[in-house]
Amino acid sequence: MGETEMDTTIARREELSDGVVRITLKRGDDRRFPTWLPGAHVDLVLEADLVRQYSLCSDPEDRSTLEVAVLREPCSRGGSAYVHDKLLPGDSVRIRGPRNHFPLIDAAEYLFIAGGIGITPILPMVRGIAQSEKPWRLFYGGRSRTSMPFLADLIDRHGDHVDIRAQDEAGLLDLDTALGAPREGVAIYCCGPEGLLKAVEERCRLWPPGALHVERFAPKVADPAARAASFQLELARSGQTLTVPANRTIVDVMDEAGITVPVSCREGTCGTCETAVLAGAPDHRDSILTEDERAANDVMFVCVSRSNTDVLRIDR
């Protein structure tokens, strides 16, 4: 299935907190956006070779607009700097999606943990769960209160369910208290900087399988022990067999052979290049799939992942 692409206009721009700007997108002729669910993100096609993914933080029930909040990264590769310095109300921007690799599952109880800009995909989840009668709690940390977007709104609307921890006032989030003892029926959703994600993952090792759901804005650090070898790539649809050398990606080898694969991030975080696996065992190097999804070995992301077997057959 091809990617959904559409032209939008910047309807509003607002400074939310230190270094964070919210961009509101609108379609022409008051057309509605496609249906989306909490956890979804879109690609902003800022320039032909500058495409970045941002989580949707607006209300899924209001499809007249889409909203993203973007942190200015000090070591920006161009995306956040472009959004902050160049996108103004009235400007046009093409988007792809929405796409969702961080879906909200049904559970008896919810625990949300967010660090800084990691609140963006969690915000629509909180809005939806707050309308239910299910127990939930949000633990939200940041460098300072002035750096934490949506803070006042969360306190005003859901103060009894929200624990705030500004690092300059009280240090890091107390994850041991936030998580408590492992228990059944709890869905844990976490998004934020890598240090927070790794700390939560470590504490959730004894929780029931599938309890923890994380979303990364940056790729995981590569495993130095990962298999480094060439392999044969069989393409089921085209009938071609290609050799993928140890120093090249599947996407690049396929592109050279004239097989086009939609790509965006090229670092295993956006999900654009998701591909079905028909035979063989992928070497999953993405930052998207859960452990259960990796074990199933039925899909992979060909911009970064490789093969643990000498031959890998995919649906391309």
Side-chain angles (χ1 to χ4, degrees), residues 128-309:
I129 296 301
Q131 298 176 23
S132 71
E133 296 183 356
K134 295 184 177 183
W136 67 276
R137 195 142 203 92
L138 167 65
F139 292 85
Y140 180 22
R143 297 189 311 277
S144 66
R145 289 177 181 265
T146 58
S147 73
M148 299 166 69
F150 305 106
L151 183 59
D153 183 64
L154 283 166
I155 293 174
D156 289 345
R157 292 174 179 265
H158 314 294
D160 292 342
H161 292 267
V162 179
D163 286 86
I164 303 299
R165 181 67 69 96
Q167 188 174 346
D168 62 349
E169 297 174 5
L172 299 174
L173 284 170
D174 183 353
L175 296 178
D176 293 326
T177 299
L179 290 163
R183 53 200 186 275
E184 297 285 346
V186 182
I188 305 166
Y189 280 80
C190 182
C191 186
E194 183 63 21
L196 173 65
L197 299 182
K198 291 179 70 174
V200 172
E201 287 175 332
E202 182 63 31
R203 286 166 172 80
C204 287
R205 292 190 186 280
L206 297 179
W207 281 70
L212 177 61
H213 308 262
V214 302
E215 178 159 81
R216 283 178 159 84
F217 292 144
K220 283 184 176 180
V221 177
D223 181 359
R227 184 174 189 260
S230 65
F231 59 93
Q232 298 300 300
L233 182 71
E234 296 181 351
L235 307 178
R237 281 188 248 169
S238 70
Q240 297 186 58
T241 297
L242 309 175
T243 298
V244 181
N247 62 345
R248 301 195 66 196
T249 67
I250 292 176
V251 162
D252 287 342
V253 170
M254 291 176 65
D255 184 64
E256 189 175 80
I259 307 297
T260 301
V261 179
V263 293
S264 180
C265 71
R266 288 185 176 269
E267 58 186 19
T269 58
C270 75
T272 304
C273 65
E274 181 174 346
T275 300
V277 177
L278 305 178
D283 175 8
H284 297 291
R285 302 188 182 188
D286 64 274
S287 302
I288 299 172
L289 296 177
T290 66
E291 290 304 317
D292 287 345
E293 290 168 337
R294 288 175 181 237
N297 279 337
D298 54 1
V299 298
M300 68 184 298
F301 299 94
V302 292
C303 67
V304 292
S305 295
R306 298 182 61 78
S307 180
N308 280 322
T309 49

